Amino acid sequence: FDRERTLVINCIPNGSLSGAAGEQELIDRGYRHHLSGMALFEALMCRMNARSGFDAKVCIDTTFCNWCACERLSSLLYRQCKKDGLTIFADELVLPVATFVINQKCTLKCLHCGQYMNNYLPEDRINFSLERIKKDIDRFSAAVDAIGFVSIIGGEPFLHPTLNEIIDIVLAKPNFGVLGITTNGVCDISDEHLGKLRNMKSRLIFSDYTKALTEKQRCLFAKNVKRASESGINFTIGQPLWSTPASLRKMNLPEATKIAMKGSCNSRNSCKTIQNGVYYPCTTTAGIGSHHLVDYPCDWARIDDTCSAEELRIKIKEIDERPYYESCDHCCEGGELLTLPGEQGVSYRYGHI
């Protein structure tokens, strides 16, 4: 192909960072002219628009778009929240996606887990208390105007004994668009779980790692998918595009480099994480903070250190608007695309964590 005269339309990716990874691969191969498939879909084909207003059913029924990358979802939701009088602040704080991590334990041992599950100390491989999670959801929801996509992950969320109650807490919030529970499918998903997800704002998201799993694990995955299908809930099955996560080693980068890294980082838009009482603006800050590698108090906000929705909101905006994070110094090793997402094992690459 004549790369200077070729336009590439990137497919709609599965995952929060895979769109950026796909775009970078095109650039690295010399294709300078490219369009985002997700942006093209939003502009030409999405049935939700300014005239129709926000409709969660449209998002739920459209199973091939990427909620993590959708700007229309959060924009129209915010308009609806304003119309309904739910926004009480003078300025705007709207998040396309917010991820609530509810546990630090999993049924798999993925070699390149983006949550670094293999590296938690035994005493840290826990389910967070329902009280803690409810407080995080309540406080964070009150501090922002709208959240397009609320993502619940682990670890493995279905290992949490009060997952159904957590779902109820999210569904009671008026300022979120859609809810997704992401699972590896190699777990016990009960009839009660499936019943709780039978509503028009929730989706069960199966991450398919079966190419990397044992026959027993593949059978359990297939059983859960079959039961989800028979239950009538909304669900999707996807093979995520994975790249190696940051090693989290400190690299002593110059300030200018860290500023440039944050300015071009997709994670700061799609990977905002609330985990065990802490707001982290990206996955690298969450990895460093949740594993207690280094204390960078200016890189994240402890929810209990604030006394009101307004105070937490100010703290979130201060952190988001920082020119760079000290955690950026730990974020330059990684990003190589993996041929086998979900490969099992423990890597020496993260042994220092």
Side-chain angles (χ1 to χ4, degrees):
F1 295 101
D2 181 350
R3 287 168 170 77
E4 287 300 316
R5 301 181 64 185
T6 300
L7 173 65
V8 178
I9 299 176
N10 198 10
C11 66
I12 298 174
N14 176 11
S16 59
L17 296 179
S18 50
E23 180 180 336
Q24 188 59 51
E25 183 178 5
L26 291 173
I27 294 171
D28 292 344
R29 294 190 180 196
Y31 291 97
R32 297 190 302 110
H33 309 296
H34 49 83
L35 288 176
S36 160
M38 186 62 206
L40 202 61
F41 169 79
E42 285 187 67
L44 299 179
M45 289 169 275
C46 180
R47 292 187 291 114
M48 196 166 62
N49 53 51
R51 182 175 298 177
S52 66
F54 172 73
D55 185 353
K57 187 176 186 301
V58 172
C59 298
I60 290 292
D61 290 344
T62 310
T63 57
F64 52 82
C65 64
N66 184 355
W67 290 346
C68 293
C70 183
E71 296 181 24
R72 180 168 298 206
L73 166 56
S74 54
S75 175
L76 292 180
L77 173 66
Y78 176 56
R79 289 190 188 188
Q80 187 65 50
C81 289
K82 287 182 69 177
K83 181 180 177 181
D84 294 342
L86 299 176
T87 56
I88 61 174
F89 299 98
D91 56 346
E92 179 181 326
L93 182 55
V94 179
L95 305 184
V97 55
T99 297
F100 290 87
V101 178
I102 64 172
N103 60 11
Q104 294 173 173
K105 56 198 304 188
C106 191
T107 59
L108 299 181
K109 292 185 178 295
C110 295
L111 189 67
H112 296 289
C113 174
Q115 300 295 112
Y116 308 96
M117 282 293 143
N118 294 335
N119 303 100
Y120 281 113
L121 295 172
E123 58 267 28
D124 289 331
R125 300 187 184 198
I126 60 172
N127 293 305
F128 302 133
S129 71
L130 180 61
E131 179 184 14
R132 175 72 266 172
I133 295 168
K134 182 180 187 305
K135 189 172 188 179
D136 289 349
I137 295 171
D138 287 347
R139 293 288 314 281
F140 195 79
S141 298
V144 302
D145 297 310
I147 305 170
F149 167 30
V150 171
S151 172
I152 291 180
I153 67 169
E156 171 49 57
F158 284 95
L159 291 179
H160 201 292
T162 60
L163 176 59
N164 281 354
E165 288 87 342
I166 295 167
I167 294 171
D168 281 336
I169 293 167
V170 176
L171 291 176
K173 301 302 173 189
N175 61 336
F176 86 97
V178 287
L179 168 66
I181 314 292
T182 299
T183 177
N184 61 39
V186 186
C187 53
D188 179 23
I189 301 178
S190 69
D191 290 339
E192 289 74 19
H193 288 137
L194 296 173
K196 185 62 64 176
L197 291 169
R198 197 177 294 114
N199 63 77
M200 287 315 302
K201 295 195 80 171
S202 301
R203 175 182 291 168
L204 180 57
I205 303 169
F206 285 100
S207 294
D208 184 359
Y209 305 127
T210 51
K211 290 182 180 179
L213 302 182
T214 66
E215 180 63 26
K216 183 178 180 181
Q217 289 170 324
R218 288 195 293 270
C219 287
L220 180 55
F221 181 89
K223 176 185 174 183
N224 281 325
V225 170
K226 183 173 185 292
R227 292 181 63 248
S229 178
E230 292 172 347
S231 74
I233 68 167
N234 185 279
F235 72 96
T236 58
I237 309 168
Q239 295 179 332
L241 181 65
W242 271 23
S243 59
T244 53
S247 70
L248 303 185
R249 289 186 179 89
K250 184 174 174 60
M251 304 303 291
N252 298 312
L253 301 171
E255 183 178 278
T257 300
K258 291 184 282 189
I259 291 172
M261 287 174 64
K262 181 177 184 281
S264 62
C265 181
N266 189 61
S267 178
R268 64 195 175 94
N269 298 317
S270 59
C271 297
K272 297 183 185 300
T273 300
I274 301 89
Q275 182 170 350
N276 197 25
V278 183
Y279 165 70
Y280 297 104
C282 68
T283 50
T284 297
T285 54
I288 291 170
S290 68
H291 285 84
H292 318 295
L293 291 182
V294 190
D295 186 17
Y296 291 139
C298 292
D299 282 10
W300 49 74
R302 299 189 185 281
I303 291 174
D304 290 348
D305 288 348
T306 62
C307 299
S308 66
E310 183 173 9
E311 188 179 351
L312 178 56
R313 181 188 184 91
I314 291 171
K315 190 66 176 176
I316 291 169
K317 297 192 80 167
E318 285 178 352
I319 289 171
D320 287 355
E321 293 167 5
R322 288 194 63 201
Y324 68 91
Y325 304 122
E326 295 300 333
S327 301
C328 294
D329 206 9
H330 301 252
C331 196
C332 61
E333 287 187 327
E336 300 85 10
L337 289 176
L338 295 170
T339 57
L340 187 62
E343 180 181 2
Q344 299 297 285
V346 177
S347 174
Y348 72 91
R349 185 173 186 271
Y350 314 104
H352 56 284
I353 296 177

